[in-house]
Amino acid sequence: MANKNLIRQGDIPIGYYDGETVFLDSEFLGCGIGKKLIRRGLTVRWVPGIAKGLDRENPQEQVRRVRVYQMKAEVEPARKFIPYARLYRQYGGINPDDYAVVFEGQLGTDNPNELYERFNAPQLPKGYRGHRLSVSDILELYNKSGSQCWYLDTEGFVKIEAEMKGGDADEK
């Protein structure tokens, strides 16, 4: 189930998405999450024991953590909100010193497009201290094995080779 997007109630994994179908542990039948997913038109299948199975798989190790970087206020305005190719051509690429961490945490997915939706939703993830995601923002997905960085370009995310600094989400 490493490739499935987990559904949590608090810190407890209680199910997962598999395409347009949601599999939830039957112990949580009638929970608010299940009702909400049904109202959204998703098919929900109630299966006994899913929560215990997901807990045993240690999904915290499977889904990478996320850092969101946004340009600091003092960065020259001409460097902000520009496509990656232009940034690379005019300025030689990304300068990690231009960026501050505005979020660090785990959101149950490490898919850049799904993360984009979360960071542009009406209710932003707890602890997020930036503006809604826009061109020039960077997502870093990481775990013990390493990290990948994604630059938000005009047409979506571009995987980049960048050494970001990590750090405290209070830097902005």
Side-chain angles (χ1 to χ4, degrees):
M1 287 188 218
N3 295 331
K4 299 200 178 7
N5 296 312
L6 295 177
I7 300 168
R8 298 176 180 278
Q9 184 158 325
D11 289 335
I12 302 168
I14 65 168
Y16 60 90
Y17 293 94
D18 189 6
E20 293 294 313
T21 303
V22 176
F23 293 87
L24 292 175
D25 194 303
S26 58
E27 283 189 41
F28 296 88
L29 185 64
C31 71
I33 294 170
K35 290 176 184 176
K36 184 177 178 181
L37 294 169
I38 291 168
R39 280 194 301 268
R40 287 201 316 201
L42 295 169
T43 302
V44 177
R45 301 215 189 272
W46 300 95
V47 182
I50 286 179
K52 288 179 185 168
L54 292 171
D55 192 40
R56 277 194 300 273
E57 290 182 18
N58 197 5
Q60 296 294 331
E61 293 300 314
Q62 296 170 1
V63 177
R64 295 174 289 185
R65 293 182 60 81
V66 178
R67 281 191 193 109
V68 176
Y69 298 86
Q70 292 180 339
M71 288 203 173
K72 296 175 183 174
E74 63 269 15
V75 172
E76 173 189 351
R79 293 177 66 98
K80 295 181 178 183
F81 310 111
I82 61 175
Y84 182 70
R86 185 170 146 209
L87 176 73
Y88 201 84
R89 187 176 56 250
Q90 288 183 318
Y91 301 101
I94 293 167
N95 179 354
D97 292 333
D98 289 346
Y99 285 84
V101 176
V102 297
F103 177 81
E104 184 167 3
Q106 191 166 31
L107 296 174
T109 183
D110 56 8
N111 178 305
N113 294 318
E114 290 176 19
L115 291 167
Y116 176 85
E117 295 297 325
R118 298 241 183 125
F119 290 114
N120 283 291
Q123 183 174 351
L124 296 170
K126 185 176 179 179
Y128 186 69
R129 294 190 169 99
H131 55 74
R132 303 219 185 283
L133 288 188
S134 58
V135 173
S136 78
D137 293 344
I138 296 174
L139 294 179
E140 179 183 15
L141 307 173
Y142 68 96
N143 59 17
K144 294 176 188 173
S145 310
S147 71
Q148 290 180 324
C149 290
W150 300 85
Y151 185 91
L152 183 51
D153 206 356
T154 54
E155 299 294 319
F157 286 97
V158 175
K159 188 174 178 183
I160 58 172
E161 300 297 324
E163 290 289 324
M164 300 307 287
K165 297 183 285 190
D168 185 5
D170 291 328
E171 288 183 42
K172 186 167 182 174

